[in-house]
Amino acid sequence: MAKQDYYGARRQQDASEADIKKAYWQKAKAYHPDINPGDEVAEHKFEEVNEPTRLSDAEKRRMYDRYGHAAFEGPNGAGAGHSGFGGFGGFEDVFDSIFGGGIFGNRSGRQRTGPVPGRDLRYDLTLEFEEAAFGVRREIEFQRVEHCEACHGSGAKEGTEPVRCAHCNGTGQVQSTQNTVFGRFVNVTECPVCGGEGKIIKDKCSGCGGTGRVRKKRAISISVPAGIDDGQVLSLAGEGEAGTRGGPPGDLRVVIHVKPHKLFKRQDYDLFYELPISYAQAALGAEIELATLEEKIRYKIPEGTQTATTFRIKGKGIKRLNQSGHGDLYVQVHVQVPTKLNDEQRQALERFEELMRSGKGEKKQKGKDKKLFDKVKDAFNG
């Protein structure tokens, strides 16, 4: 079988070492057996990809340029004893470069026994609409993992101390090395004796069983600020679970849920609601009573108000969260058309309709006409 050209179809013998390595990494990643388990075609391709790595050695590259594949054939060839990864620092180094390390373990031997922060916790708190608007103080209870008071988090019986693990020399890790035709494999795993802690507790604390942590019920009082909205989160630093090996505790995240209001709808810090008014109030104008979150107020609507007209009352909305000032209140009026009329109401409307057709209804009314408008108003408001 004809052998591949180590330079590829482009036959760039002036390619730099970096170019050759880049091309190798791309193909090695695609055909590596770990990515294509059981694929014989990919395995064969991977072996072919490995052959050109010989050219990373300047002397071997010079011989290949001069003699071709014959430079590496036979017991005395330039490639005798070549593992297929010369010049790349071994198989593992190649894959550290391709995948960023981690496939064959951590070769640095760094300890895993440093401080570990505690886990954050979540608590869902449901509030009434007014509680969210004005703020409230609430007592909450939740479960969390804390340091054992009996052993102060060490896990050892009172009067004793954990000892360094002799198996891993306190690192929490053990290494195993294997030399193969593909290079040198270094595998780093958690120490089976100490479980990766680097220490062994001979006399365990009876309160926590040697873990140094226990689950307890925690009750705290929290202040919910005025203006908080549905879905917002209060973060309470240090109220989460305890850390390990001296790590800081996590946080408690309180997720706010606000019940809807029967009258108002909220948008940011503004409030909205719909108010029905009578036909006479819309036509003649009136002073009406408006509800706000804090109190009822009097508001004058002008004559000739059309249905769906919206009035803005400044400063009667929700207090701005952690700021000064409030949002606004928007009231949309809807004119109610009567569905049943008594005789007096019908007569008043019929007379009103006659005046509108004659053109007098849109003029300023005096005398009898003025009295008629009063009658219409009284008929619909009475």
Side-chain angles (χ1 to χ4, degrees), residues 7 107 142 158 164 192 203 269 287 292:
Y7 287 109
R107 294 181 294 121
F142 57 97
E158 186 177 1
R164 176 180 291 184
D203 297 317
Y269 297 106
E287 187 176 79
T292 71

Side-chain angles (χ1 to χ4, degrees), residues 119-344:
R119 190 168 63 94
D120 291 340
L121 297 178
R122 169 175 173 153
Y123 185 93
D124 291 271
L125 179 62
T126 300
L127 302 175
E128 297 294 337
F129 193 90
E130 289 83 359
E131 289 178 324
F134 300 124
V136 67
R137 179 167 287 276
R138 295 285 291 270
E139 300 285 333
I140 64 172
E141 289 186 353
F142 57 97
Q143 296 277 343
R144 74 176 184 184
V145 172
E146 301 180 359
H147 289 304
C148 175
E149 294 180 359
C151 64
H152 306 289
S154 69
K157 183 180 178 180
E158 186 177 1
T160 67
E161 295 288 340
V163 296
R164 176 180 291 184
C165 175
H167 188 72
C168 65
N169 198 30
T171 65
Q173 300 174 331
V174 290
Q175 295 185 4
S176 59
T177 305
Q178 182 180 6
N179 294 316
T180 71
V181 293
F182 293 105
R184 180 171 175 265
F185 288 80
V186 179
N187 189 32
V188 180
T189 59
E190 183 181 271
C191 176
V193 177
C194 66
E197 294 294 326
K199 295 180 180 180
I200 296 177
I201 301 173
K202 293 185 176 181
D203 297 317
K204 295 182 179 180
C205 171
S206 59
C208 63
T211 63
R213 307 200 303 168
V214 292
R215 179 169 290 277
K216 287 187 176 182
K217 180 184 289 186
R218 169 75 167 160
I220 61 173
S221 176
I222 65 172
S223 179
V224 180
I228 200 163
D229 203 356
D230 185 77
Q232 291 184 318
V233 179
L234 295 175
S235 183
L236 306 180
E239 291 293 346
E241 295 194 338
T244 56
R245 308 187 194 111
D251 298 334
L252 174 64
R253 305 190 184 281
V254 181
V255 181
I256 301 297
H257 303 277
V258 182
K259 293 181 180 179
H261 196 276
K262 62 181 180 180
L263 180 63
F264 299 105
K265 292 184 179 180
R266 177 176 176 175
Q267 183 175 329
D268 293 329
Y269 297 106
D270 296 328
L271 291 176
F272 298 81
Y273 85 94
E274 298 178 354
L275 178 69
I277 61 175
S278 69
Y279 183 81
Q281 286 175 320
L284 304 175
E287 187 176 79
I288 59 176
E289 188 176 74
L290 297 180
T292 71
L293 274 180
E294 299 184 63
E295 58 186 353
K296 291 184 178 180
I297 63 173
R298 303 295 296 180
Y299 187 83
K300 184 174 180 59
I301 60 173
E303 64 178 51
T305 295
Q306 302 298 306
T307 192
T309 299
T310 299
F311 298 98
R312 175 189 179 191
I313 296 87
K314 294 184 178 180
K316 291 299 181 180
I318 301 289
K319 183 185 181 306
R320 298 185 183 278
L321 183 64
N322 300 322
Q323 301 178 47
S324 61
H326 292 68
D328 299 327
L329 172 64
Y330 292 87
V331 180
Q332 187 178 73
V333 296
H334 290 272
V335 179
Q336 292 183 314
V337 178
T339 56
K340 294 183 179 180
L341 300 175
N342 57 34
D343 291 340
E344 184 181 0

